[in-house]
Amino acid sequence: MKIMKDKEIALVKEILKKLGASEEDSEFVAEATIDADLKGFTSHGLGRFPQYLISIEAGTINLKDDIVIEKETPAIALINGNSGFGQAVSYKAMQLAIKKAKEVGIGCVGVHNTNHFGVTGFYSDLALRENCIGLVLANTDPAIAPLGGSQALKHTLP
């Protein structure tokens, strides 16, 4: 069975809205999720979607869409995602970074207290569409061995 991109996005949005997510957040999550599939990262696309539903049910994803800008200057900001959807928080963070970059030449926005956000390339593509360079970084638990290594690497600072 084949399903078109627009239909997949609509289906994901419908499910999220029925669970209580805002229209805007549902759109951001759906767009980022399907974009991951289209780029070949199915582990971060619909393959990951059931985990989002489990997290909503468990209460670890906050559906209230109440991010807070904790610190801000003309070029930088720090956002508290208040356990919101990683995709929605990250989309808003990149939009803020783009706005700052266009106003003062650089925009750097940090995010904390959020959830899985999918594929980093989705957000750097947002910057590219606005004629900006977008660098997206994320952290996670050690899961991958470095090049030539056999065990996941965890570096601890002294």
Side-chain angles (χ1 to χ4, degrees):
M1 171 186 198
K2 287 187 179 182
I3 183 168
M4 302 305 289
K5 173 186 171 185
D6 293 341
K7 298 251 187 218
E8 283 189 35
I9 290 171
L11 179 60
V12 169
K13 281 177 57 178
E14 181 181 345
I15 291 168
L16 294 175
K17 288 192 310 187
K18 284 187 178 182
L19 291 172
S22 71
E23 173 77 28
E24 182 180 57
D25 283 1
S26 297
E27 178 74 28
F28 297 148
V29 174
E31 289 280 344
T33 299
I34 303 311
D35 184 71
D37 281 333
L38 292 173
K39 289 178 176 164
F41 298 105
T42 56
S43 62
H44 287 55
L46 285 177
R48 179 90 181 182
F49 190 68
Q51 182 58 50
Y52 301 148
L53 303 180
I54 291 166
S55 295
I56 291 168
E57 187 176 308
T60 58
I61 290 180
N62 173 11
L63 297 177
K64 292 188 177 120
D65 188 28
D66 55 358
I67 68 170
V68 175
I69 298 175
E70 294 180 333
K71 297 178 183 179
E72 187 171 23
T73 72
I76 65 170
L78 176 63
I79 293 177
N80 182 339
N82 283 314
S83 298
F85 281 110
Q87 296 92 333
V89 175
S90 299
Y91 184 95
K92 293 169 188 174
M94 182 55 82
Q95 293 303 319
L96 181 57
I98 291 166
K99 179 178 182 269
K100 289 178 175 302
K102 287 184 173 188
E103 290 173 358
V104 298
I106 189 168
C108 181
V109 179
V111 171
H112 70 99
N113 192 19
T114 189
N115 288 284
H116 187 269
F117 75 150
V119 176
T120 58
F122 177 76
Y123 309 98
S124 57
D125 285 352
L126 296 173
L128 182 63
R129 287 185 210 125
E130 294 294 326
N131 204 29
C132 293
I133 296 170
L135 178 63
V136 182
L137 306 170
N139 69 318
T140 187
D141 293 329
I144 300 173
L147 183 63
S150 61
Q151 294 181 348
L153 178 66
K154 180 175 184 177
H155 180 74
T156 55
L157 297 173

